Every structure is written in structure tokens, then in C-alpha cells.
């Protein structure tokens, strides 16, 4: 992999935000020969691709799967270019997507699709036709690739033909599963366990095709977890950026973009310093960008209508808790979903919860121990509830839910009693505080049935020399969207300056 920059040119790019999108833009900017500086508000880079240490354990809080781990794809090349992956990268993780438990029965979606098919058929012969159709379409979805070579809006007919070939099976998936959501998919099955299986992993409003694409990604080996998890990957990317001459300023919150005569000319930091630049890239949450960095007058109707209509464009976050458990006391692998007595959380009630085991990565816990993590989905209503609480009530409510989670874990896994310790607990407000994430959302707008999938421009009307690089640019967001958004912002800048990436 060529990591050397093209011949330097006398132009400077300033990037606001050192998440995956900002770092990716930084590395592609250096590659194209620009002087690049990233300003990140936190003491560590990575943004939502995060991990932190507690009580001698590591809480890995992002990569459940990284799309693009299969060599040869355009997306793999992006990960390789930014230093996230290389030929020596080891992949860890389990041989399964997740397990659903209901009334004492369980079903696992394995990465081995034939095994899944056989087990689904054995469980519910009366669902044979739907099962076979589902499996066949996951197979189709597993052939699909994420476009990562150049921005879609810059593609020629020849590019589209090439992209069409790599997405040849996608129309079949979209035709069968693109106009139903996960609730509809679940309703196609007769067996109660299968009905729950399809609504456990993602919000049930998600269009069903996106679930098949996620599962297909895992089945094809294109969605693995790199060893060391999220933070280790971020550290490799930061190292690549610095090796290429980029400058990363941590603890450097940006207050606003400096705009003169309809042109971005730099940034003002919160400590009032001005940093002048030829181009400014906002790689923050887009609401943070509109509200504080450039002003809502730059928000197009499209952005306005999506942000103001949370029914059509829902967002989700999580109420999460991490524990360290004795390895011998917990025998589950991967993520498991199960019924629990109701937990009131964020003003609403849930009767299902999930636990993910990180036993695949021994370095996350001392010998003989494993980290497990619980995630209870939180939507706008729950975010608003958390927001409405005073500081004291917020802390009390967090503790109350944490205890409720502990109790439900002991009910489901009695062997954990006396073998489990709390590591940490966090809510949508944590994401808001840490990343300036709108309503605590850690993905972009949900892809709903009957709603045109959200995609926005990388530029802002009325402001020259300003680009957006963020997972928010394309639903449903995620790491691939963030990394390619960074690359594509530089693609346009380099094109303007007649430079190659
Ligand atoms: C629990 C969880 C699980 C996830 N699982 C997966 C997964 O399995 N696969 C996947 O693909 N994705 C997953 N994601 C989503 C993924 O983490 C995000 O899509 C991605 O990290 C977003 O990157 P970004 O650079 O667009 O935004 P961010 O990560 O939000 O980066 C923005 C950066 O800007 C900084 N910033 C904000 N405001 C300012 C300011 N004023 N000045 C300076 N800096 C500022 C922030 O601190 C942050 O570092 C998960 C996320 C979470 C939280």
C-alpha cells in the first residue's frame, strides 16, 4: 500500500472532528498533497468508534462488524489506505450473527448459511417456503458491495455499469425485501421464535432488505471484527495520519467556521484562536455543524424536513451497561436476545434485552474473566425523557435501571450470581455529551419502508470551500459511510485543484 503523499501543494485543509470520517478525510488529504490539520474536541480521536478502560477491562463500544474486510473490494482498499486493515490484520469474533431465545427455545443465525437453513427448517417445517426464500436472498445480498471508489454523484455511465455488475443481485433483494420492514418480515413466519428472531437485532422499523444485507455481509466474510476492536483500529488510523504528516489537535473544540463573502476561510476554536485554511471540512455530527459551526440558515429543506419528522426518519441510540463476569459463570457466545420482566427505561418499557459477550477478545479482560454488555434501544421519546431530568434525577434513574438490568441478568443466567461486577453504564446523553451526537444517535436516519433512503449533498448551498464528511450523509450511516464520506470530500477538493487522490 502506497502511503506516501503526492507532491505537496501550498494549500491547507482544516477538518473539524477526528472521528472515522475526519481521519479518513485527513489521510486522503495528505495523500493528495495538502497540508492537513484535524481539530477534535475530545482527548482521544475516533468519535463514536470508541473503546475505554474500566477496572482493568476494556469496553469496546463500536465494531460489531466492519463491512469491507474482504480483500479485493473497493471498501477494503479504503480501510487499507487509511491504515485500519492490512494483510497482517487478524480477525476475531464468533461464527454467528446472534441468537434469539424465546420460551426456552433458541435459534442462531450462523455465519454458515447452510447451517442456519438446516436449523431453521428443523425448527419450523411449516415455514419452509419463507425460510428458503430468506436464505436465498441472504445469499444474493452477500454478493453485494459498498461503492467506495468515487462519489456516486461523480460516476460516469461506465462507472455505473461496473457498479451494477458488483450489485447484480441487489435488485432481487430490494424487490422481495425492500418494501417491507422487519415487522412485516417477522409476520411472514408462523413459528413464534422466528417472528421474534427477525425483530430482535435491528429496530423493527428498519426496511427488511438492510437486515439481509447486514447478515449477507457476515455470511460472505466481508463483515469481520479486527483484533483489538474499535479503539485499536482508531489508533492504527491515527498513526497512519501522523506518519503522512497530518496534524491532529486533541482537546480542541471548534466554536464556528469562519465565513467571509460566502466562503469558508477557516475556523474559530472555543479558546478564540483562529485557524485559517483554504478548505474546511466538517466531519462532526451534522446537527452540531448546522446549529453551532455554520448556522441553521445553511440547512437545506431536505435536512430540515428529516430532522423535524422523527416518525418518518427515526433515530436510535442505546441505554447500555457493561459488566465483567467470571468466564466459567457465563457460557453464552456472541449476542443473545431474551425476554425479561419489563424494564422501565427512558420513560418507556421493554420486555426484551440483549447481552453481547466479548470472550472472543481475551485482551479485553483479565485472565478467567469476560466483558459482557447489555444494550436497550432508545429512540427520540426516550432521549427526550433523559434530557428532561435534573442532574440528580438522571444519576438516580441510571442507577435504578442498572440494578434492573443486573436483576434480569441473574434471572436469565443464575450462574452469574456472585460472579458479576458492574464496569460502566451510559445513555443517549453520553453520546450527546461525548460526540455532540444529535439526540444521542450513533447511526444516521433509519431506513424505513416506503421512505426514500436519505442521502445528502457533501456541500452547503451558499458556502464555497466547505465540505461535509460524516456518516449522516447517507442512511443508515455506520463506519463504511463515514470512511467513504471522508475520502469523497477530498475527492471533490482534489478534483477542483486538478489533483489525483
Ligand atoms: C454502540 C455502537 C455500535 C456501533 N456498531 C457499529 C458497527 O458494528 N458497524 C458500523 O459500521 N458502525 C457501527 N457504529 C456506528 C459508527 O460508530 C459510526 O457510524 C461512526 O463512528 C461515525 O463516524 P463519523 O466520523 O461520521 O462521526 P463521529 O464518530 O460522531 O465523529 C465526529 C467527531 O467530531 C467530534 N466533534 C463534534 N463536535 C465537535 C466540535 N465542535 N469541535 C471539534 N470536534 C467535534 C466528535 O467528538 C467526534 O470525534 C456503532 C456505534 C455505536 C456507538
Amino acid at each position: 500500500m502506497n502511503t506516501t503523499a503526492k507532491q505537496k501543494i501550498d494549500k491547507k485543509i482544516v477538518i473539524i472532528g477526528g472521528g472515522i470520517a475526519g481521519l479518513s478525510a485527513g489521510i486522503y488529504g495528505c495523500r493528495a498533497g495538502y497540508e492537513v490539520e484535524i481539530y477534535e474536541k475530545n482527548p482521544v480521536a475516533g468519535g463514536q468508534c470508541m473503546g475505554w478502560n474500566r477496572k482493568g477491562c476494556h469496553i469496546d463500544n463500536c465494531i460489531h462488524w466492519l463491512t469491507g474486510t474482504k480483500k479485493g473490494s473497493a471498501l477494503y482498499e479504503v480501510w487499507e489506505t487509511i491504515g485500519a486493515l492490512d494483510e497482517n490484520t487478524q480477525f476475531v469474533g464468533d461464527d454467528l450473527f446472534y441468537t434469539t431465545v424465546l420460551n426456552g427455545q433458541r435459534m442462531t443465525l450462523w455465519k454458515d448459511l447452510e447451517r442456519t437453513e438446516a436449523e431453521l427448517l428443523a425448527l419450523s417445517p411449516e415455514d419452509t417456503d419463507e425460510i428458503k426464500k430468506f436464505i436465498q436472498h441472504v445469499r444474493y445480498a452477500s454478493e453485494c458491495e459498498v461503492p467506495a471508489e468515487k462519489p456516486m454523484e461523480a460516476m460516469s455511465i461506465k462507472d455505473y455499469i461496473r457498479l451494477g455488475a458488483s450489485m447484480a443481485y441487489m435488485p432481487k433483494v430490494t424487490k422481495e425485501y425492500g418494501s417491507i420492514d422487519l415487522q412485516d418480515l417477522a409476520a411472514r413466519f408462523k413459528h413464534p421464535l422466528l417472528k421474534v428472531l427477525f425483530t430482535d437485532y435491528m429496530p423493527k422499523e428498519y426496511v427488511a432488505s438492510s437486515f439481509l444485507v447486514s447478515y449477507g455481509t457476515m455470511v460472505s466474510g466481508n463483515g469481520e471484527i479486527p483484533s483489538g476492536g474499535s479503539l485499536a483500529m482508531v489508533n492504527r488510523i491515527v498513526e497512519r495520519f501522523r506518519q503522512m504528516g497530518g496534524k491532529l489537535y486533541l482537546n480542541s473544540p471548534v466554536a464556528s467556521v469562519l465565513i467571509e463573502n460566502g466562503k469558508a476561510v477557516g475556523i474559530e476554536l472555543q479558546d478564540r484562536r483562529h485557524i485559517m485554511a483554504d478548505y474546511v471540512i466538517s466531519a462532526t455530527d451534522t446537527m452540531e455543524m448546522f446549529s453551532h459551526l455554520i448556522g441553521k440558515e445553511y440547512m437545506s429543506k431536505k435536512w430540515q424536513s428529516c430532522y423535524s419528522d422523527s416518525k418518518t426518519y427515526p433515530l436510535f441510540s442505546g441505554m447500555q451497561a457493561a459488566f465483567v463476569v467470571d468466564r466459567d459463570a457465563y457460557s453464552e457466545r456472541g449476542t443473545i436476545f431474551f425476554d425479561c420482566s419489563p424494564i422501565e427505561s427512558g420513560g418507556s418499557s421493554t420486555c426484551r434485552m440483549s447481552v453481547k459477550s466479548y470472550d472472543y477478545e481475551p485482551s479485553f479482560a483479565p485472565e478467567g474473566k469476560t466483558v459482557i454488555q447489555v444494550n436497550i434501544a432508545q429512540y427520540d421519546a426516550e432521549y427526550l425523557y433523559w434530557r428532561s431530568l435534573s442532574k440528580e434525577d438522571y444519576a438516580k434513574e441510571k442507577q435504578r435501571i442498572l440494578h434492573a438490568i443486573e436483576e434480569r441478568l441473574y434471572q436469565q443466567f443464575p450462574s452469574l450470581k456472585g460472579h458479576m461486577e458492574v464496569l460502566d453504564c451510559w445513555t443517549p446523553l453520553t453520546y450527546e455529551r461525548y460526540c455532540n451526537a444529535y439526540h444521542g444517535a450513533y447511526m444516521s436516519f433509519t431506513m424505513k419502508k416506503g421512505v426514500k433512503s436519505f442521502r445528502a449533498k457533501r456541500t452547503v448551498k451558499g458556502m464555497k470551500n466547505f465540505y461535509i464528511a460524516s456518516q449522516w450523509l447517507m442512511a443508515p450511516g455506520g463506519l463504511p459511510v463515514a470512511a467513504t464520506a471522508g475520502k469523497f470530500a477530498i475527492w471533490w477538493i482534489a478534483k477542483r485543484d486538478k489533483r489525483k487522490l
Side-chain angles (χ1 to χ4, degrees):
M1 176 56 35
N2 177 17
T3 58
T4 51
K6 305 259 175 335
Q7 200 192 355
K8 280 264 175 224
I9 55 169
D10 195 15
K11 281 195 175 178
K12 178 167 163 182
I13 300 175
V14 157
I15 298 169
I16 313 169
I20 295 299
L23 291 167
S24 167
I27 290 167
Y28 277 98
C30 291
R31 238 169 86 103
Y34 293 90
E35 182 190 344
V36 184
E37 293 179 0
I38 298 178
Y39 291 83
E40 163 58 46
K41 75 187 254 297
N42 287 326
V44 225
Q48 313 240 30
C49 188
M50 57 173 82
W52 63 97
N53 297 333
R54 287 284 181 279
K55 301 181 185 171
C57 296
H58 184 72
I59 299 172
D60 184 17
N61 196 45
C62 179
I63 304 177
H64 292 68
W65 73 89
L66 181 71
T67 302
T69 50
K70 205 154 115 186
K71 280 184 193 157
S73 66
L75 188 54
Y76 180 88
E77 208 181 304
V78 172
W79 294 128
E80 205 181 20
T81 303
I82 67 172
L85 304 177
D86 67 28
E87 55 196 18
N88 300 317
T89 306
Q90 302 282 317
F91 295 108
V92 291
D94 290 301
D95 53 354
L96 54 93
F97 188 11
Y98 65 93
T99 299
T100 281
V101 174
L102 185 75
N103 303 330
Q105 280 187 304
R106 58 194 290 148
M107 178 51 63
T108 296
L109 292 183
W110 301 100
K111 288 185 181 170
D112 176 349
L113 201 53
E114 278 164 24
R115 181 174 179 190
T116 300
E117 181 174 21
E119 293 184 10
L120 287 171
L121 290 171
L123 175 81
S124 182
E126 55 182 351
D127 283 314
T128 296
D129 290 349
E130 271 313 318
I131 292 170
K132 285 192 173 292
K133 195 188 337 171
F134 171 73
I135 296 288
Q136 183 54 45
H137 284 77
V138 173
R139 218 165 259 133
Y140 292 143
S142 71
E143 302 283 326
C144 297
E145 275 192 25
V146 175
E149 246 168 78
K150 58 162 86 162
M152 298 272 273
E153 66 274 18
M155 282 186 181
S156 63
I157 293 177
K158 232 165 102 189
D159 294 323
Y160 269 108
I161 292 170
R162 212 153 15 109
L163 178 67
S166 70
M167 303 282 267
Y169 290 110
M170 201 51 208
K172 287 181 194 272
V173 180
T174 317
K175 188 169 172 224
E176 189 58 43
Y177 295 99
S179 54
I180 61 166
D181 61 24
L182 289 168
Q183 288 174 99
D184 302 328
L185 174 62
R188 287 182 175 185
F189 292 87
K190 297 189 180 74
H191 197 288
L193 179 58
L194 298 194
K195 286 183 183 296
V196 178
L197 176 71
F198 293 106
T199 49
D200 261 347
Y201 200 84
M202 290 175 167
K204 55 187 186 315
E205 298 80 12
Y206 253 55
V207 66
S209 53
S210 65
F211 175 76
L212 272 85
V213 170
S214 302
Y215 185 28
T217 304
M218 295 213 159
V219 164
S220 65
N222 194 30
E224 301 291 330
I225 302 175
S227 171
S230 314
L231 190 61
M233 184 175 93
V234 167
N235 288 339
R236 291 193 295 275
I237 299 174
V238 168
E239 197 185 326
R240 172 66 51 87
F241 175 61
R242 288 187 165 136
Q243 269 169 6
M244 295 188 74
K247 291 192 183 114
L248 170 63
Y249 296 98
L250 299 168
N251 296 310
S252 302
V254 176
S256 63
V257 173
L258 300 171
I259 305 163
E260 281 174 13
N261 304 321
K263 194 164 128 184
V265 294
I267 56 170
E268 179 174 272
L269 296 173
Q270 263 177 25
D271 63 13
R272 297 284 168 88
R273 270 184 302 142
H274 283 197
I275 313 292
M276 307 313 286
D278 297 283
Y279 298 102
V280 175
I281 295 178
S282 173
T284 66
D285 175 282
T286 40
M287 185 56 105
E288 159 70 3
M289 175 188 85
F290 287 120
S291 301
H292 301 118
L293 300 177
I294 60 172
K296 280 199 178 152
E297 62 273 26
Y298 288 100
M299 204 183 219
S300 69
K301 285 213 170 85
K302 189 177 196 169
W303 282 108
Q304 277 173 30
S305 62
C306 293
Y307 275 123
S308 61
D309 182 0
S310 62
K311 270 214 165 91
T312 314
Y313 294 95
L315 295 168
F316 70 93
S317 183
M319 158 82 211
Q320 291 160 267
F323 306 86
V324 59
V325 300
D326 288 336
R327 195 171 271 255
D328 295 344
Y330 187 76
S331 56
E332 294 293 344
R333 290 188 297 121
T335 302
I336 179 167
F337 292 83
F338 53 88
D339 269 347
C340 60
S341 45
I343 299 183
E344 309 294 325
S345 113
S348 67
S349 179
T350 179
C351 298
R352 270 189 94 67
M353 63 188 267
S354 73
V355 188
K356 177 175 156 72
S357 164
Y358 289 82
D359 66 340
Y360 57 78
E361 182 62 88
S363 68
F364 287 171
E367 213 180 320
K369 309 263 184 192
T370 297
V371 175
I372 61 170
Q373 205 190 102
V374 170
N375 190 343
I376 299 173
Q378 305 273 276
Y379 299 88
D380 253 23
E382 287 90 51
Y383 161 80
L384 292 171
Y385 172 79
W386 286 110
R387 187 76 269 166
S388 72
L389 298 178
S390 67
K391 210 173 161 192
E392 292 73 32
D393 288 345
Y394 172 76
K396 269 193 220 152
E397 184 65 351
K398 235 171 75 165
Q399 277 310 310
R400 187 191 63 74
I401 298 172
L402 182 59
H403 290 315
I405 290 173
E406 280 183 281
E407 264 176 31
R408 306 311 184 272
L409 285 173
Y410 292 140
Q411 277 163 11
Q412 183 71 19
F413 309 105
S415 59
L416 283 177
K417 274 193 191 135
H419 299 279
M420 185 171 90
E421 192 188 347
V422 176
L423 291 177
D424 207 351
C425 174
W426 58 104
T427 75
L429 296 198
T430 314
Y431 294 107
E432 182 181 61
R433 175 183 54 76
Y434 187 70
C435 286
N436 286 340
Y438 178 71
H439 288 194
Y442 52 74
M443 299 284 286
S444 176
F445 298 109
T446 298
M447 291 167 78
K448 275 185 82 172
K449 73 170 178 186
V451 177
K452 203 168 168 224
S453 177
F454 180 80
R455 218 173 111 204
K457 288 191 173 151
R458 298 169 211 289
T459 48
V460 168
K461 200 170 170 203
M463 202 187 322
K464 289 186 188 140
N465 296 5
F466 180 81
Y467 293 84
I468 310 172
S470 164
Q471 64 155 340
W472 282 89
L473 286 179
M474 196 166 90
L479 295 164
V481 179
T484 50
K487 172 181 174 179
F488 295 159
I490 299 295
W491 194 95
W492 279 114
I493 291 175
K495 187 174 162 61
R496 249 183 84 170
D497 288 337
K498 300 195 172 41
R499 297 195 58 86
K500 282 201 168 151
L501 272 196

